[in-house]
Amino acid sequence: MTILFVLIGNMAVSAQPVVAEGAEPEIVTEGYQFTEGPLWHPDGYLLFSDIPANTIYRWIPGEGAEVFVKPSDNSNGLALDVSGNIVMVQHAGKLSRLTYNGNTMETVVDSYNGMRLNSPNDLAVHSNGTIFFTDPPFGVSEEEKELDFNGVYMLKPDGTLTVFYKEFSHPNGVVLSPDEQKLYVNNSSSGEIVVFDINNSGKPVNPRSFASVGERNNEGAADGMKVDADGRVYSTGPGGVYVFDSEGNQIQKIETESRITNLAWGEAGNSTLFMTAPSAVYRLEMAVSGR
């Protein structure tokens, strides 16, 4: 895997690079079918999904990977809720919660207005307990599909589920800004990233175009997204990971040989970027810290 920094637009040459000088991605574990949804756990390990294998794995530095949850109902995105429990979105058409040690899984929501969710894909958790998640059609057949749209939802702590955006054909990555005043969502088919303002009631409003990574192709697509502590937005896309400033200007690109599916910050100082690819998980030392 190689890294290429692409400087675009009006970015000054002296702008801070996001990757540590001389750093190269390294494989930390491999041999999977399709990895996704990485999450660095505060107890010092990485969790990630292998969707077709119906498994969540735990990778422990210096020890390797082991099965953490199986079956996972084809989990994809993983996150921690405000109580420290693991929440996951699953291609089986639901969002579930694991107890802290992963021994018990409970369904939190699996329908909207009495109709099956499509294939929940990724999620972001607000500090007020609200969970935002995307629901594309990737893991649901036409026969099983009950909703006539592919939405982006907010799930409040009281269990109220609201769809607030239906304009994407394949909504995928979702992430909050560091101050939680903005929400970013991308569309896998077109590569468009839309940004919302979070209003006083906690609802995303005022959707507008933020940036684009380009249309999906054999080298990847708009998929997982993360932000760093300074508000830069990182999105997977064709050929690697695209980095945008808070105004939506592309400032760098981490070009990779493997298709990257999702991202997570972790390890000491939250300055390692973990990247899932179909068959492997990589880590890359960064010059910035993640959120």
Side-chain angles (χ1 to χ4, degrees):
M1 184 181 288
T2 58
I3 303 173
L4 174 67
F5 298 124
V6 181
L7 310 185
I8 296 178
N10 297 321
M11 190 191 77
V13 174
S14 60
Q16 179 188 12
V18 297
V19 178
E21 184 177 358
E24 294 284 346
E26 64 170 315
I27 293 175
V28 298
T29 183
E30 59 185 330
Y32 303 97
Q33 297 180 49
F34 198 96
T35 70
E36 254 282 10
L39 167 67
W40 181 259
H41 196 280
D43 284 351
Y45 53 80
L46 184 77
L47 297 173
F48 60 93
S49 300
D50 187 342
I51 300 172
N54 200 20
T55 303
I56 297 173
Y57 289 92
R58 172 169 56 186
W59 174 78
I60 303 172
E63 298 184 21
E66 62 185 12
V67 172
F68 185 68
V69 174
K70 185 179 179 70
S72 67
D73 287 339
N74 306 108
S75 67
N76 191 326
L78 308 172
L80 295 178
D81 67 16
V82 293
S83 299
N85 294 308
I86 298 163
V87 287
M88 65 180 73
V89 280
Q90 297 151 296
H91 284 208
K94 58 184 180 176
L95 184 153
S96 297
R97 179 184 293 113
L98 290 175
T99 55
Y100 182 80
N101 59 12
N103 288 335
T104 304
M105 181 190 300
E106 62 176 358
T107 298
V108 178
V109 63
D110 60 6
S111 63
Y112 175 72
N113 286 345
M115 291 176 283
R116 178 196 193 274
L117 292 172
N118 298 322
S119 181
N121 189 281
D122 211 349
L123 73 169
V125 181
H126 195 283
S127 60
N128 66 12
T130 297
I131 300 173
F132 302 99
F133 69 93
T134 55
D135 188 36
F138 294 128
V140 61
S141 67
E142 285 299 320
E143 294 75 22
E144 294 175 307
K145 196 173 191 297
E146 298 179 7
L147 295 166
D148 61 0
F149 61 88
N150 304 308
V152 189
Y153 294 84
M154 59 181 294
L155 176 65
K156 291 188 175 181
D158 65 4
T160 303
L161 181 65
T162 304
V163 59
F164 62 88
Y165 197 66
K166 301 180 181 181
E167 303 307 311
F168 278 164
S169 60
H170 296 85
N172 198 322
V174 56
V175 67
L176 286 156
S177 62
D179 62 6
E180 300 187 322
Q181 296 301 302
K182 290 182 170 59
L183 183 78
Y184 303 92
V185 182
N186 66 21
N187 184 20
S188 283
S189 54
S190 69
E192 182 183 5
I193 303 171
V194 164
V195 60
F196 300 79
D197 298 317
I198 304 294
N199 67 15
N200 291 336
S201 66
K203 182 178 180 179
V205 296
N206 189 28
R208 58 202 181 275
S209 180
F210 174 75
S212 176
V213 301
E215 293 184 2
R216 176 174 53 197
N217 63 31
N218 292 338
E219 296 182 338
D223 199 330
M225 287 198 296
K226 289 295 180 288
V227 296
D228 66 24
D230 297 319
R232 287 175 285 259
V233 178
Y234 298 64
S235 176
T236 67
V241 178
Y242 295 68
V243 186
F244 301 93
D245 67 19
S246 59
E247 301 302 316
N249 302 304
Q250 184 180 329
I251 54 174
Q252 292 184 19
K253 179 183 177 182
I254 304 169
E255 194 162 278
T256 62
E257 295 174 356
S258 298
R259 172 186 176 184
I260 301 303
T261 61
N262 214 327
L263 310 166
W265 295 99
E267 295 195 314
N270 217 26
S271 59
T272 296
L273 185 66
F274 289 95
M275 302 180 286
T276 51
S279 64
V281 179
Y282 296 81
R283 68 177 169 188
L284 178 63
E285 183 183 353
M286 304 295 283
V288 296
S289 296
R291 176 192 177 276

PDB file of all heavy atoms in Angstrom, residues 8 193 212-214 219 233-244 250-254 263:
ATOM      1  N   ILE A   8      -4.903  20.281  -3.204  1.00  0.00           N
ATOM      2  CA  ILE A   8      -5.910  20.731  -4.150  1.00  0.00           C
ATOM      3  C   ILE A   8      -6.436  22.095  -3.741  1.00  0.00           C
ATOM      4  O   ILE A   8      -6.522  22.427  -2.560  1.00  0.00           O
ATOM      5  CB  ILE A   8      -7.063  19.712  -4.236  1.00  0.00           C
ATOM      6  CG1 ILE A   8      -6.515  18.399  -4.802  1.00  0.00           C
ATOM      7  CG2 ILE A   8      -8.208  20.224  -5.081  1.00  0.00           C
ATOM      8  CD1 ILE A   8      -7.546  17.315  -4.898  1.00  0.00           C
ATOM      9  N   ILE A 193     -21.197  14.028  -0.368  1.00  0.00           N
ATOM     10  CA  ILE A 193     -21.293  14.173   1.089  1.00  0.00           C
ATOM     11  C   ILE A 193     -22.181  15.377   1.375  1.00  0.00           C
ATOM     12  O   ILE A 193     -21.961  16.468   0.843  1.00  0.00           O
ATOM     13  CB  ILE A 193     -19.919  14.386   1.738  1.00  0.00           C
ATOM     14  CG1 ILE A 193     -18.965  13.236   1.400  1.00  0.00           C
ATOM     15  CG2 ILE A 193     -20.059  14.521   3.260  1.00  0.00           C
ATOM     16  CD1 ILE A 193     -17.530  13.482   1.828  1.00  0.00           C
ATOM     17  N   SER A 212     -17.476  15.918  -2.441  1.00  0.00           N
ATOM     18  CA  SER A 212     -17.701  14.665  -3.154  1.00  0.00           C
ATOM     19  C   SER A 212     -16.379  13.928  -3.312  1.00  0.00           C
ATOM     20  O   SER A 212     -15.327  14.553  -3.502  1.00  0.00           O
ATOM     21  CB  SER A 212     -18.310  14.922  -4.531  1.00  0.00           C
ATOM     22  OG  SER A 212     -18.449  13.698  -5.255  1.00  0.00           O
ATOM     23  N   VAL A 213     -16.449  12.602  -3.242  1.00  0.00           N
ATOM     24  CA  VAL A 213     -15.276  11.774  -3.513  1.00  0.00           C
ATOM     25  C   VAL A 213     -15.375  11.113  -4.879  1.00  0.00           C
ATOM     26  O   VAL A 213     -14.497  10.342  -5.269  1.00  0.00           O
ATOM     27  CB  VAL A 213     -15.075  10.690  -2.420  1.00  0.00           C
ATOM     28  CG1 VAL A 213     -14.897  11.334  -1.059  1.00  0.00           C
ATOM     29  CG2 VAL A 213     -16.244   9.695  -2.414  1.00  0.00           C
ATOM     30  N   GLY A 214     -16.440  11.383  -5.611  1.00  0.00           N
ATOM     31  CA  GLY A 214     -16.613  10.802  -6.935  1.00  0.00           C
ATOM     32  C   GLY A 214     -17.437   9.523  -6.907  1.00  0.00           C
ATOM     33  O   GLY A 214     -17.644   8.906  -5.867  1.00  0.00           O
ATOM     34  N   GLU A 219     -12.345   0.692  -7.454  1.00  0.00           N
ATOM     35  CA  GLU A 219     -11.332   1.040  -6.453  1.00  0.00           C
ATOM     36  C   GLU A 219     -11.943   1.511  -5.144  1.00  0.00           C
ATOM     37  O   GLU A 219     -11.214   1.843  -4.208  1.00  0.00           O
ATOM     38  CB  GLU A 219     -10.394   2.113  -7.011  1.00  0.00           C
ATOM     39  CG  GLU A 219      -9.572   1.637  -8.206  1.00  0.00           C
ATOM     40  CD  GLU A 219      -8.634   2.701  -8.702  1.00  0.00           C
ATOM     41  OE1 GLU A 219      -8.881   3.902  -8.424  1.00  0.00           O
ATOM     42  OE2 GLU A 219      -7.641   2.348  -9.355  1.00  0.00           O
ATOM     43  N   VAL A 233     -12.710  16.248   7.816  1.00  0.00           N
ATOM     44  CA  VAL A 233     -13.593  15.120   7.516  1.00  0.00           C
ATOM     45  C   VAL A 233     -12.844  14.134   6.634  1.00  0.00           C
ATOM     46  O   VAL A 233     -12.259  14.515   5.614  1.00  0.00           O
ATOM     47  CB  VAL A 233     -14.871  15.598   6.805  1.00  0.00           C
ATOM     48  CG1 VAL A 233     -15.771  14.409   6.449  1.00  0.00           C
ATOM     49  CG2 VAL A 233     -15.639  16.586   7.691  1.00  0.00           C
ATOM     50  N   TYR A 234     -12.864  12.862   7.033  1.00  0.00           N
ATOM     51  CA  TYR A 234     -12.190  11.793   6.299  1.00  0.00           C
ATOM     52  C   TYR A 234     -13.264  10.859   5.751  1.00  0.00           C
ATOM     53  O   TYR A 234     -14.087  10.346   6.498  1.00  0.00           O
ATOM     54  CB  TYR A 234     -11.280  10.989   7.229  1.00  0.00           C
ATOM     55  CG  TYR A 234     -10.156  11.777   7.859  1.00  0.00           C
ATOM     56  CD1 TYR A 234     -10.408  12.821   8.751  1.00  0.00           C
ATOM     57  CD2 TYR A 234      -8.829  11.469   7.579  1.00  0.00           C
ATOM     58  CE1 TYR A 234      -9.383  13.536   9.331  1.00  0.00           C
ATOM     59  CE2 TYR A 234      -7.783  12.177   8.161  1.00  0.00           C
ATOM     60  CZ  TYR A 234      -8.074  13.212   9.034  1.00  0.00           C
ATOM     61  OH  TYR A 234      -7.044  13.919   9.610  1.00  0.00           O
ATOM     62  N   SER A 235     -13.239  10.640   4.433  1.00  0.00           N
ATOM     63  CA  SER A 235     -14.206   9.730   3.822  1.00  0.00           C
ATOM     64  C   SER A 235     -13.472   8.741   2.924  1.00  0.00           C
ATOM     65  O   SER A 235     -12.580   9.129   2.161  1.00  0.00           O
ATOM     66  CB  SER A 235     -15.227  10.497   2.985  1.00  0.00           C
ATOM     67  OG  SER A 235     -16.106   9.594   2.309  1.00  0.00           O
ATOM     68  N   THR A 236     -13.847   7.479   3.010  1.00  0.00           N
ATOM     69  CA  THR A 236     -13.354   6.539   2.025  1.00  0.00           C
ATOM     70  C   THR A 236     -13.919   6.929   0.661  1.00  0.00           C
ATOM     71  O   THR A 236     -14.936   7.602   0.551  1.00  0.00           O
ATOM     72  CB  THR A 236     -13.779   5.101   2.350  1.00  0.00           C
ATOM     73  OG1 THR A 236     -15.195   4.990   2.205  1.00  0.00           O
ATOM     74  CG2 THR A 236     -13.387   4.721   3.766  1.00  0.00           C
ATOM     75  N   GLY A 237     -13.234   6.512  -0.376  1.00  0.00           N
ATOM     76  CA  GLY A 237     -13.673   6.802  -1.730  1.00  0.00           C
ATOM     77  C   GLY A 237     -12.845   6.012  -2.712  1.00  0.00           C
ATOM     78  O   GLY A 237     -11.959   5.228  -2.320  1.00  0.00           O
ATOM     79  N   PRO A 238     -13.087   6.167  -3.992  1.00  0.00           N
ATOM     80  CA  PRO A 238     -12.297   5.439  -4.981  1.00  0.00           C
ATOM     81  C   PRO A 238     -10.800   5.706  -4.818  1.00  0.00           C
ATOM     82  O   PRO A 238     -10.357   6.850  -4.843  1.00  0.00           O
ATOM     83  CB  PRO A 238     -12.821   5.998  -6.313  1.00  0.00           C
ATOM     84  CG  PRO A 238     -14.214   6.441  -6.018  1.00  0.00           C
ATOM     85  CD  PRO A 238     -14.145   6.977  -4.617  1.00  0.00           C
ATOM     86  N   GLY A 239     -10.056   4.656  -4.581  1.00  0.00           N
ATOM     87  CA  GLY A 239      -8.608   4.788  -4.503  1.00  0.00           C
ATOM     88  C   GLY A 239      -8.036   5.151  -3.163  1.00  0.00           C
ATOM     89  O   GLY A 239      -6.818   5.308  -3.038  1.00  0.00           O
ATOM     90  N   GLY A 240      -8.860   5.291  -2.128  1.00  0.00           N
ATOM     91  CA  GLY A 240      -8.273   5.602  -0.828  1.00  0.00           C
ATOM     92  C   GLY A 240      -9.174   6.385   0.102  1.00  0.00           C
ATOM     93  O   GLY A 240     -10.392   6.214   0.111  1.00  0.00           O
ATOM     94  N   VAL A 241      -8.543   7.281   0.881  1.00  0.00           N
ATOM     95  CA  VAL A 241      -9.245   8.075   1.884  1.00  0.00           C
ATOM     96  C   VAL A 241      -9.062   9.550   1.531  1.00  0.00           C
ATOM     97  O   VAL A 241      -7.932  10.029   1.362  1.00  0.00           O
ATOM     98  CB  VAL A 241      -8.702   7.799   3.297  1.00  0.00           C
ATOM     99  CG1 VAL A 241      -9.416   8.668   4.329  1.00  0.00           C
ATOM    100  CG2 VAL A 241      -8.851   6.324   3.653  1.00  0.00           C
ATOM    101  N   TYR A 242     -10.166  10.271   1.427  1.00  0.00           N
ATOM    102  CA  TYR A 242     -10.167  11.677   1.058  1.00  0.00           C
ATOM    103  C   TYR A 242     -10.313  12.514   2.322  1.00  0.00           C
ATOM    104  O   TYR A 242     -11.138  12.209   3.181  1.00  0.00           O
ATOM    105  CB  TYR A 242     -11.315  11.973   0.109  1.00  0.00           C
ATOM    106  CG  TYR A 242     -11.201  11.279  -1.237  1.00  0.00           C
ATOM    107  CD1 TYR A 242     -11.321   9.882  -1.340  1.00  0.00           C
ATOM    108  CD2 TYR A 242     -10.971  12.005  -2.398  1.00  0.00           C
ATOM    109  CE1 TYR A 242     -11.214   9.241  -2.569  1.00  0.00           C
ATOM    110  CE2 TYR A 242     -10.868  11.370  -3.635  1.00  0.00           C
ATOM    111  CZ  TYR A 242     -10.985   9.994  -3.707  1.00  0.00           C
ATOM    112  OH  TYR A 242     -10.878   9.363  -4.925  1.00  0.00           O
ATOM    113  N   VAL A 243      -9.535  13.587   2.404  1.00  0.00           N
ATOM    114  CA  VAL A 243      -9.534  14.437   3.588  1.00  0.00           C
ATOM    115  C   VAL A 243      -9.978  15.843   3.183  1.00  0.00           C
ATOM    116  O   VAL A 243      -9.420  16.440   2.254  1.00  0.00           O
ATOM    117  CB  VAL A 243      -8.141  14.496   4.237  1.00  0.00           C
ATOM    118  CG1 VAL A 243      -8.202  15.276   5.560  1.00  0.00           C
ATOM    119  CG2 VAL A 243      -7.584  13.098   4.462  1.00  0.00           C
ATOM    120  N   PHE A 244     -10.994  16.347   3.891  1.00  0.00           N
ATOM    121  CA  PHE A 244     -11.560  17.665   3.599  1.00  0.00           C
ATOM    122  C   PHE A 244     -11.436  18.552   4.827  1.00  0.00           C
ATOM    123  O   PHE A 244     -11.553  18.078   5.967  1.00  0.00           O
ATOM    124  CB  PHE A 244     -13.047  17.535   3.229  1.00  0.00           C
ATOM    125  CG  PHE A 244     -13.308  16.656   2.053  1.00  0.00           C
ATOM    126  CD1 PHE A 244     -13.585  15.305   2.222  1.00  0.00           C
ATOM    127  CD2 PHE A 244     -13.271  17.161   0.761  1.00  0.00           C
ATOM    128  CE1 PHE A 244     -13.831  14.482   1.137  1.00  0.00           C
ATOM    129  CE2 PHE A 244     -13.510  16.351  -0.333  1.00  0.00           C
ATOM    130  CZ  PHE A 244     -13.784  15.003  -0.151  1.00  0.00           C
ATOM    131  N   GLN A 250     -11.149  19.729  -0.468  1.00  0.00           N
ATOM    132  CA  GLN A 250     -10.274  18.559  -0.356  1.00  0.00           C
ATOM    133  C   GLN A 250      -8.847  19.034  -0.178  1.00  0.00           C
ATOM    134  O   GLN A 250      -8.319  19.796  -0.978  1.00  0.00           O
ATOM    135  CB  GLN A 250     -10.372  17.670  -1.590  1.00  0.00           C
ATOM    136  CG  GLN A 250      -9.547  16.393  -1.434  1.00  0.00           C
ATOM    137  CD  GLN A 250      -9.628  15.486  -2.651  1.00  0.00           C
ATOM    138  OE1 GLN A 250     -10.646  15.474  -3.326  1.00  0.00           O
ATOM    139  NE2 GLN A 250      -8.568  14.758  -2.917  1.00  0.00           N
ATOM    140  N   ILE A 251      -8.210  18.593   0.894  1.00  0.00           N
ATOM    141  CA  ILE A 251      -6.862  19.061   1.184  1.00  0.00           C
ATOM    142  C   ILE A 251      -5.814  17.972   1.008  1.00  0.00           C
ATOM    143  O   ILE A 251      -4.650  18.273   0.753  1.00  0.00           O
ATOM    144  CB  ILE A 251      -6.768  19.664   2.608  1.00  0.00           C
ATOM    145  CG1 ILE A 251      -7.273  18.673   3.654  1.00  0.00           C
ATOM    146  CG2 ILE A 251      -7.550  20.972   2.680  1.00  0.00           C
ATOM    147  CD1 ILE A 251      -7.080  19.146   5.090  1.00  0.00           C
ATOM    148  N   GLN A 252      -6.205  16.725   1.182  1.00  0.00           N
ATOM    149  CA  GLN A 252      -5.262  15.633   0.996  1.00  0.00           C
ATOM    150  C   GLN A 252      -6.018  14.376   0.579  1.00  0.00           C
ATOM    151  O   GLN A 252      -7.242  14.298   0.705  1.00  0.00           O
ATOM    152  CB  GLN A 252      -4.453  15.361   2.270  1.00  0.00           C
ATOM    153  CG  GLN A 252      -3.487  16.471   2.630  1.00  0.00           C
ATOM    154  CD  GLN A 252      -2.628  16.134   3.821  1.00  0.00           C
ATOM    155  OE1 GLN A 252      -2.472  14.984   4.185  1.00  0.00           O
ATOM    156  NE2 GLN A 252      -2.052  17.150   4.440  1.00  0.00           N
ATOM    157  N   LYS A 253      -5.251  13.437   0.059  1.00  0.00           N
ATOM    158  CA  LYS A 253      -5.787  12.114  -0.227  1.00  0.00           C
ATOM    159  C   LYS A 253      -4.755  11.082   0.187  1.00  0.00           C
ATOM    160  O   LYS A 253      -3.574  11.194  -0.153  1.00  0.00           O
ATOM    161  CB  LYS A 253      -6.117  11.947  -1.714  1.00  0.00           C
ATOM    162  CG  LYS A 253      -6.662  10.559  -2.067  1.00  0.00           C
ATOM    163  CD  LYS A 253      -6.898  10.426  -3.558  1.00  0.00           C
ATOM    164  CE  LYS A 253      -7.376   9.027  -3.918  1.00  0.00           C
ATOM    165  NZ  LYS A 253      -7.566   8.869  -5.385  1.00  0.00           N
ATOM    166  N   ILE A 254      -5.194  10.103   0.934  1.00  0.00           N
ATOM    167  CA  ILE A 254      -4.349   8.967   1.281  1.00  0.00           C
ATOM    168  C   ILE A 254      -4.688   7.883   0.270  1.00  0.00           C
ATOM    169  O   ILE A 254      -5.756   7.268   0.341  1.00  0.00           O
ATOM    170  CB  ILE A 254      -4.616   8.483   2.720  1.00  0.00           C
ATOM    171  CG1 ILE A 254      -4.432   9.635   3.715  1.00  0.00           C
ATOM    172  CG2 ILE A 254      -3.705   7.321   3.077  1.00  0.00           C
ATOM    173  CD1 ILE A 254      -4.927   9.319   5.118  1.00  0.00           C
ATOM    174  N   LEU A 263     -13.278   3.421   8.674  1.00  0.00           N
ATOM    175  CA  LEU A 263     -12.184   4.036   9.415  1.00  0.00           C
ATOM    176  C   LEU A 263     -12.496   4.085  10.902  1.00  0.00           C
ATOM    177  O   LEU A 263     -13.659   4.126  11.304  1.00  0.00           O
ATOM    178  CB  LEU A 263     -11.966   5.473   8.918  1.00  0.00           C
ATOM    179  CG  LEU A 263     -11.846   5.688   7.413  1.00  0.00           C
ATOM    180  CD1 LEU A 263     -11.984   7.172   7.087  1.00  0.00           C
ATOM    181  CD2 LEU A 263     -10.518   5.143   6.907  1.00  0.00           C
TER     182      LEU A 263
END
